[in-house]
Amino acid sequence: MRLFECGTLVPGCEWHTRADSDAEVVRRVIEHMRDTHGETVIRENMVENIKARIVDEPTVERA
């Protein structure tokens, strides 16, 4: 599972999303940026910044 935390891009924002693919994470983040942060134009460098902050979600080992 892939994870994006908005606070890594927009300080103070606690929103996050997770999905199986980076493409789906990026789609959700762009929607969030438009709806919550008022971004009307998503430039290529913004997409690259989003992609750079997508990480593998830490797995929790169960005993």
Side-chain angles (χ1 to χ4, degrees):
M1 191 67 68
R2 302 290 280 160
L3 172 68
F4 174 86
E5 296 184 59
C6 192
T8 64
L9 187 63
V10 180
C13 183
E14 295 183 14
W15 182 86
H16 63 276
T17 190
R18 59 181 56 84
D20 290 327
S21 70
D22 285 8
E24 178 61 15
V25 171
V26 169
R27 186 194 69 74
R28 292 177 185 182
V29 173
I30 289 172
E31 184 176 290
H32 169 73
M33 296 301 286
R34 287 183 173 139
D35 294 346
T36 303
H37 299 297
E39 295 290 335
T40 56
V41 177
I42 306 296
R43 293 186 173 82
E44 184 63 30
N45 68 326
M46 175 68 79
V47 174
E48 293 304 318
N49 284 329
I50 292 166
K51 288 179 180 178
R53 289 165 171 81
I54 298 172
V55 298
D56 285 323
E57 183 175 24
T59 57
V60 176
E61 293 187 29
R62 298 178 190 237

